[in-house]
Structure formats: structure tokens, C-alpha cells
Amino acid sequence: MLGVRQLALDGVLEILPQKHGDARGFFCETWSKATFAAAGIDLDFVQDNHSLSSCAGTLRGLHYQCPPCAQAKLVRVVHGAIFDVAVDIRLGSPSFAQWVGIEVSSALGNQLLVPRGFAHGFITLHANTEVIYKVDAAYSKEHDRAIRYDDPAIGVSWPVKSETLHLSGKDRDAPLLAEIDTGFSYP
């Protein structure tokens, strides 16, 4: 059984796989094409990515790939916890520049589905957090983009003080949403 919860932005879903546990631990099916399709989620994932963030307060994002190499992502945490964020970047969308965020953790066993047309980012809540995510299009360096994590027009409320963040140069120097054409339009 797969639990699916629609979040505040259309298409952004919290996925709750069923855990089967006993004294030995647990088993859980994190992806099944047939089970997800039965829940109305029909994606063809082509690549898995795995990141380790050594420090709590590591922020990665807001990232996306522009068309024609746009990606949907299914994000889960195998160790630790993140505050995971999706931002609608589809020009003309009723929710353009709005965001939604939830905690995704190994303890909760939940996942976040980020559809195409949304930027994605997360901040680690614990040291040595490991994130695995599936994508439905391969990585393309020429289509890889970022938006400033602290863009005031978006206003993400990250749960860590900005002066304690661990950021890459790419994320620190990313442009504001108003300065770019994301390549996405609504519908």
C-alpha cells in the first residue's frame, strides 16, 4: 500500500511507502512502477543520484534543469533528515514563485515527488545526511540551472540561520528568479 499526500502546490506530493517491520528491522518498497502508476504517478525514472552532506546546515539548491532536459525527482533520505523544498517556476502558473517544504527523513521513511517545472532544494538537519533521488531525465550540464536560495520574491523559510549555512559557490552566486527565463510555462 502506498500513501500519497498532495501538498500545497499542485503536483508536489509526499509519498509514504508502507513499512513492514519486526524485531529484525523493516522492509519497504520505495519504488515500484506498477504501484506508483496505480496511485496515478506514471514516471519513467532513468537515473539515481546519491549525496552525502557531512555538516548539518548544508543547503543544496534551488536547482532545476530547463527544457528539453527537465527532470521530475523522487527524493528520499536514507540517513538523517532534510527540510525539502519545491518552488513553482512555471511562468503564468497561479502558484508561480510559491514554495512548499516538508521534513523528509530516514526515521519518517517519507519521500517528496517534485514534478517538472519546479526548482528543488534542501537543507540538512543532521550531520552525515544521505539523500537518494530518482530523476526521469539524465543530467545535462548545459541545462543545469540554479536560483538563489534566499530570493526574497520566493521567501523560503529555511529552518537554519543563514550565517551558519554551508553552500557551494554555485548556490551562493545563483541569480534571482526575476533575472532568468526558466524555460517553463503554465500549463
Side-chain angles (χ1 to χ4, degrees), residues 24-42:
R24 300 168 298 163
F26 73 87
F27 170 83
C28 137
E29 191 174 82
T30 60
W31 166 252
S32 161
K33 187 165 183 65
T35 302
F36 274 63
I41 304 165
D42 190 20

Side-chain angles (χ1 to χ4, degrees), residues 3 7 9 13 20 29-30 35-36 62 64 84 91 99 109 112 118 128 151 159:
L7 298 179
L9 297 179
L13 306 173
H20 306 279
E29 191 174 82
T30 60
T35 302
F36 274 63
L62 301 163
Y64 69 97
D84 208 2
L91 191 61
W99 66 277
L112 183 68
F118 288 76
N128 298 313
D151 186 331

Side-chain angles (χ1 to χ4, degrees), residues 102-146:
I102 63 168
E103 181 177 325
V104 177
S105 71
S106 56
L108 293 171
N110 60 339
Q111 301 176 69
L112 183 68
L113 179 67
V114 181
R116 292 175 179 207
F118 288 76
H120 172 252
F122 64 84
I123 190 164
T124 57
L125 303 175
H126 303 289
N128 298 313
T129 292
E130 292 187 62
V131 176
I132 294 177
Y133 60 99
K134 296 181 161 315
V135 293
D136 69 345
Y139 173 74
S140 171
K141 184 175 183 174
E142 78 178 82
H143 297 90
D144 184 34
R145 303 287 188 274

Side-chain angles (χ1 to χ4, degrees), residues 22-186:
D22 59 25
R24 300 168 298 163
F26 73 87
F27 170 83
C28 137
E29 191 174 82
T30 60
W31 166 252
S32 161
K33 187 165 183 65
T35 302
F36 274 63
I41 304 165
D42 190 20
L43 294 168
D44 186 20
F45 290 117
V46 299
Q47 181 176 312
D48 280 2
N49 299 317
H50 188 154
S51 73
L52 165 69
S53 297
S54 301
C55 300
T58 299
L59 194 146
R60 297 177 185 264
L62 301 163
H63 300 155
Y64 69 97
Q65 282 191 185
C66 61
C69 296
Q71 296 175 320
K73 297 178 181 179
L74 180 63
V75 182
R76 68 187 179 100
V77 174
V78 295
H79 186 265
I82 61 174
F83 182 69
D84 208 2
V85 171
V87 178
D88 188 345
I89 58 171
R90 300 169 298 165
L91 191 61
S93 167
S95 58
F96 179 74
Q98 293 179 23
W99 66 277
V100 63
I102 63 168
E103 181 177 325
V104 177
S105 71
S106 56
L108 293 171
N110 60 339
Q111 301 176 69
L112 183 68
L113 179 67
V114 181
R116 292 175 179 207
F118 288 76
H120 172 252
F122 64 84
I123 190 164
T124 57
L125 303 175
H126 303 289
N128 298 313
T129 292
E130 292 187 62
V131 176
I132 294 177
Y133 60 99
K134 296 181 161 315
V135 293
D136 69 345
Y139 173 74
S140 171
K141 184 175 183 174
E142 78 178 82
H143 297 90
D144 184 34
R145 303 287 188 274
I147 300 166
R148 279 288 297 261
Y149 72 95
D150 61 351
D151 186 331
I154 299 170
V156 175
S157 295
W158 298 104
V160 175
K161 294 180 181 176
S162 61
E163 59 271 8
T164 63
L165 295 177
H166 300 275
L167 292 164
S168 69
K170 170 187 170 180
D171 292 340
R172 184 181 303 105
D173 300 333
L176 300 172
L177 181 57
E179 297 172 339
I180 58 174
D181 174 6
T182 66
F184 292 101
S185 59
Y186 179 85

